[in-house]
Amino acid sequence: MTNNVNITRMSAYDYRAQIANGEAVMLIPVGSVEQHGAHMPLGTDMMLSTTMSELTAEQIGGLVGPTISFGYKSQQRSGGGNHIVGTFGFDADTVIGICRTLVREFDRHGVKKIVFVNGHYENYQFIFEGVDLALRDLAAQGGELPRVMMLSYWDFVTPAVIERLYPDGFPGWDVEHGGVMETSLMLEYHPDVVWMDRLIDHPAAELPLYDLLPVDPSLTPESGCLSSGKVSTAEKGRILAESIVSGMVDAISSRF
């Protein structure tokens, strides 16, 4: 993987040259700063959304915009919960506002094809809201509206890959927090910040079908993860990434 697709590593002059023809596809990674157990870093979501964006951009001749590093509050049934120290949960209006501003700013730059690549389960609806509000803002100004796609990268893992990598049963993407997918992708692309000797192995969490406030911390496994990443490998990370990137390339190419 190269880094020449990420605009944050370009000069303003190089960036302007890349988008000058108005045809550039801009992928915007959206992550969070969130605990991922004892074996992975707080930046896992932002690192993986950025990596999947860069791999995809390389294949479609696209660009990668600045990573949105902070995400919406971790939920107990999909991220362990915002009560766990190490997780930074932002209010919905913050996430919405950042996405809204980025759409307007890229439109001002002349970028008309935008893809938000979500890497934090709880973010999705607030990305959607930010985009919707931005398009309303731009529509009121007149002129051509940008086209905006929103996706979560794990949705492009095919059923065949899920069956292959989860032979004992797939727990669901919500319960996969800190589990096989994220751990395997990190082992493949960011192995220097994965500490498998510290991984806490336990069965997938059995969570209620409701939420509680104030939160009941006893519902979250002590590890902070909702399933085990014990059987994760870099090879599984490569298999997952191939499925994800191939699916994202197809989706983006079909619309842009």
Side-chain angles (χ1 to χ4, degrees):
M1 182 176 65
T2 63
N3 292 321
N4 60 359
V5 297
N6 196 309
I7 70 169
T8 65
R9 302 187 184 99
M10 298 178 186
S11 73
Y13 285 76
D14 292 334
Y15 168 58
R16 291 195 290 261
Q18 292 273 9
I19 64 172
N21 66 3
E23 293 299 317
V25 177
M26 185 67 62
L27 285 75
I28 304 174
V30 193
S32 69
V33 181
E34 180 186 36
Q35 65 81 27
H36 281 75
H39 68 291
M40 286 195 293
L42 301 181
T44 293
D45 288 348
M46 72 173 85
M47 294 167 76
L48 290 180
S49 60
T50 302
T51 298
M52 295 304 105
S53 296
E54 290 180 344
L55 290 169
T56 302
E58 289 171 2
Q59 292 201 23
I60 65 172
L63 298 170
V64 176
T67 299
I68 301 174
S69 299
F70 293 107
Y72 183 67
K73 303 177 187 76
S74 175
Q75 302 295 290
Q76 195 165 31
R77 293 193 291 150
S78 53
N82 211 55
H83 63 287
I84 302 176
V85 174
T87 291
F88 293 77
F90 280 69
D91 293 341
D93 57 357
T94 300
V95 181
I96 292 167
I98 294 171
C99 296
R100 185 178 190 175
T101 298
L102 282 175
V103 171
R104 293 190 312 221
E105 286 297 283
F106 277 121
D107 179 77
R108 180 174 66 85
H109 295 175
V111 176
K112 296 296 184 180
K113 302 173 183 178
I114 301 170
V115 181
F116 282 88
V117 180
N118 181 38
H120 175 62
Y121 194 88
E122 292 85 346
N123 281 341
Y124 193 86
Q125 296 304 327
F126 306 113
I127 299 171
F128 191 101
E129 181 70 1
V131 171
D132 183 61
L133 292 176
L135 293 180
R136 292 190 205 179
D137 297 338
L138 294 171
Q141 298 173 15
E144 178 193 0
L145 292 179
R147 286 181 292 165
V148 186
M149 177 181 288
M150 295 148 285
L151 58 86
S152 295
Y153 71 77
W154 51 82
D155 284 334
F156 295 89
V157 179
T158 65
V161 168
I162 290 174
E163 184 176 0
R164 177 180 177 185
L165 298 188
Y166 297 87
D168 297 325
F170 179 56
W173 291 130
D174 50 350
V175 186
E176 252 289 289
H177 176 70
V180 173
M181 180 192 70
E182 288 184 316
T183 305
S184 294
L185 287 171
M186 289 292 286
L187 283 169
E188 171 63 7
Y189 295 104
H190 304 284
D192 55 316
V193 286
V194 182
W195 308 285
M196 292 299 285
D197 59 323
R198 297 172 58 187
L199 184 145
I200 300 170
D201 183 33
H202 57 75
E206 294 184 8
L207 299 166
L209 299 177
Y210 52 81
D211 297 296
L212 286 172
L213 287 177
V215 70
D216 177 1
S218 69
L219 297 176
T220 303
E222 186 177 353
S223 70
C225 299
L226 300 184
S227 59
S228 175
K230 182 179 180 180
V231 297
S232 303
T233 65
E235 180 184 6
K236 291 180 180 179
R238 287 192 294 275
I239 294 168
L240 286 159
E242 287 172 4
S243 179
I244 291 164
V245 173
S246 175
M248 286 172 56
V249 166
D250 288 347
I252 295 168
S253 299
S254 71
R255 288 295 176 180
F256 297 146

